Amino acid sequence: MLTNPETIIKSIKKAIGSPYVITKQNQIAGFCKGFQFGSGEALLVAQPATLLEIWQVLEICTKADAIILMQAANTGVTGGSTPCGNNYDRPIVIISTLRIDDIHLLDEGKQIIALAGSTLFGLENKLISYGREP
């Protein structure tokens, strides 16, 4: 069952907060063009802050039959995290995980748990106090 794009936008804004839902095409362009290749348009970019918010956005998109593209830093070489062209039959929602950037160090930095939006730079900063490198 397809849902009106405005309903999708309104529902996601309610779930994660309006400041974290980007809908203006000039603002989402960077999320819609791959670092390596691929580009297209999307209805919106959602920037959840927690795993619960990701789940809520996924639930809204699934019920609306929207296409979901998960994206971290958009540096992938496969092109799977950006639209490829504009010939899709349903709205595209990009879920950017950059706000979910927690890094948890275990065993004095010998192991880590890095959430989806964490970066190598962030890991390097966490490990400095342990005299370790990634």
Side-chain angles (χ1 to χ4, degrees):
M1 173 183 191
L2 291 175
T3 301
N4 178 310
E6 291 303 317
T7 302
I8 297 169
I9 293 168
K10 183 179 177 181
S11 298
I12 293 175
K13 283 182 175 183
K14 184 177 178 182
I16 67 173
S18 292
Y20 306 109
V21 179
I22 304 169
T23 58
K24 293 181 181 174
Q25 289 300 313
N26 65 333
Q27 293 176 339
I28 68 173
F31 296 91
C32 292
K33 181 166 177 39
F35 183 75
Q36 299 287 333
F37 59 89
S39 67
E41 294 180 358
L43 175 64
L44 64 88
V45 175
Q47 299 174 305
T50 66
L51 297 176
L52 176 60
E53 287 183 356
I54 285 180
W55 177 79
Q56 291 169 327
V57 172
L58 289 171
E59 185 175 45
I60 292 163
C61 292
T62 301
K63 287 180 180 176
D65 197 28
I67 296 169
I68 301 162
L69 295 177
M70 296 295 290
Q71 186 179 93
N74 194 13
T75 59
V77 295
T78 64
S81 65
T82 57
C84 186
N86 294 317
N87 298 324
Y88 293 92
D89 62 343
R90 298 172 282 153
I92 297 173
V93 173
I94 296 173
I95 301 175
S96 171
T97 62
L98 290 177
R99 290 183 63 217
I100 305 172
D101 62 352
D102 288 338
I103 298 173
H104 304 277
L105 301 179
L106 308 173
D107 195 18
E108 299 195 10
K110 293 178 186 168
Q111 295 183 344
I112 66 160
I113 296 173
L115 298 184
S118 59
T119 63
L120 186 56
F121 182 72
L123 178 59
E124 287 172 344
N125 286 337
K126 286 257 188 179
L127 292 174
I128 286 174
S129 63
Y130 293 95
R132 299 184 59 86
E133 295 181 7

